[in-house]
Amino acid sequence: MTPRDDSDANSNRWSDLDRPPLNAVALRRALVRDGGRAGLWSDVQVVARTGSTNSDLVALAADGKAEEGTVLVAEEQNAGRGRLDRQWTAPARSGLFFSVLLKPTGVPVERWGWLPLLTGVAMATGLSRSAGVDTALKWPNDLLVTVEGEERKVGGILAERAGTDAVVVGIGINVTLRADELPVPGAGSLALAGATTTDRDTILRTVLRSLEQWFEKWRSVAGDPAASGLQDTYAAGCATLGREVRAELPGDRSITGEAVAVDGDGRLVLATAEGVQQPVGAGDIVHLRPAGSPGNE
């Protein structure tokens, strides 16, 4: 699908005064590299609405119409996807829904699996700086905040291959969703978590700068998660570690155990009741109890 031109983003510009449109011109000025400034981001496109920014950017890359560092942002998505093909929908301009095209040049393919975890660290860092919100990471690709004493999902990440040398990473962040707009009970938003600002331009700039810093650092050491500091930083911010969890695996299988580590391949390591340490590379993780608590969630 071809994304619509960003001039459409200004239609009905003041239909919701709490949710002004993104300023595409200012974002490009602040982020895009030019002849006098180096950087990762080569283009920032803002469209009024589309099905999925990930699908659009993968298609643009396949057609040779997007280079590394392209950022595609939609004010509204009507077919956004999360892991396991879950739908991600939200009211127009209530969040940040965007995808970036990255080329992990010099990084062995077996380390590309760290990209969703790297993005999670970058999101958490950027949101702390820009919105003053404490966040936690749920392995492998969810971002959590606390709303009225409960953990809620505020953001998610989806990474997809784009050809042989690139990855499109999609990010969704609930910014101003109100309580009556939450799609599921476990969802939250930055506003509900007490963010100091919900200015989406500021938040997007900060998150993208954080992502650039982490990606370049990781790529400069051939994707080594230890040498880049990524493995330790992820573990320090991961709410899954130290908890009893259930890993729901492909093929209707599941494993239950304590999440004890994230290994060098980015896999979650579970210590099972049988005394086995089982790495999990893919699956849906359910937190069964808070860390240090004897009860169930």
Side-chain angles (χ1 to χ4, degrees):
M1 176 178 180
T2 302
R4 295 179 60 172
D5 185 82
D6 61 12
S7 61
D8 290 339
N10 291 321
S11 62
N12 299 320
R13 183 177 178 86
W14 306 117
S15 59
D16 189 334
L17 294 179
D18 292 331
R19 292 170 175 166
L22 292 165
N23 187 329
V25 174
L27 287 168
R28 292 189 192 104
R29 186 182 302 121
L31 292 166
V32 173
R33 64 176 182 255
D34 55 30
R37 180 177 60 190
L40 175 62
W41 308 120
S42 58
D43 188 22
V44 177
Q45 303 177 29
V46 179
V47 298
R49 64 190 64 84
T50 193
S52 162
T53 57
N54 257 37
S55 297
D56 289 347
L57 193 50
V58 168
L60 289 170
D63 291 341
K65 297 178 180 178
E67 61 180 300
E68 180 183 28
T70 297
V71 181
L72 178 62
V73 191
E75 295 283 32
E76 182 181 9
Q77 284 191 129
N78 54 32
R81 292 172 292 122
R83 290 183 65 251
L84 308 179
D85 287 327
R86 293 189 177 114
Q87 293 296 305
W88 180 289
T89 59
R93 303 190 304 277
S94 67
L96 287 167
F97 320 111
F98 63 100
S99 298
V100 300
L101 180 63
L102 303 174
K103 292 190 175 181
T105 309
V107 177
V109 172
E110 57 268 24
R111 289 177 171 170
W112 289 18
W114 273 98
L115 276 170
L117 282 69
L118 180 154
T119 304
V121 168
M123 287 171 63
T125 303
L127 292 176
S128 176
R129 291 173 180 168
S130 60
V133 172
D134 289 331
T135 59
L137 299 162
K138 180 185 175 188
W139 188 91
N141 63 353
D142 288 346
L143 194 69
L144 307 177
V145 295
T146 301
V147 178
E148 297 180 349
E150 295 184 359
E151 281 185 343
R152 303 283 189 88
K153 178 179 175 179
V154 75
I157 301 157
L158 178 66
E160 299 182 73
R161 288 286 293 270
T164 60
D165 65 344
V167 177
V168 169
V169 180
I171 298 170
I173 304 171
N174 293 334
V175 179
T176 60
L177 274 182
R178 303 158 187 137
D180 62 351
E181 295 175 323
L182 297 175
V184 293
S189 69
L190 297 181
L192 292 174
T196 56
T197 182
T198 56
D199 183 324
R200 293 183 305 136
D201 286 86
T202 298
I203 293 169
L204 180 58
R205 286 197 305 268
T206 308
V207 168
L208 286 173
R209 285 168 178 156
S210 179
L211 179 55
E212 177 180 0
Q213 291 168 0
W214 273 107
F215 179 70
E216 296 291 18
K217 185 177 182 180
W218 174 77
R219 184 165 59 174
S220 72
V221 293
D224 188 320
S228 63
L230 177 58
Q231 187 172 4
D232 286 345
T233 304
Y234 185 89
C238 184
T240 303
L241 294 180
R243 298 174 101 141
E244 192 78 11
V245 304
R246 182 175 65 254
E248 299 177 346
L249 308 176
D252 294 325
R253 297 181 301 119
S254 66
I255 301 172
T256 299
E258 182 183 356
V260 295
V262 175
D263 71 12
D265 294 320
R267 299 176 300 180
L268 185 68
V269 180
L270 303 186
T272 69
E274 293 76 25
V276 176
Q277 292 208 344
Q278 178 68 48
V280 174
D284 204 22
I285 299 298
V286 179
H287 289 173
L288 299 178
R289 63 170 174 82
S293 169
N296 288 337
E297 282 189 303

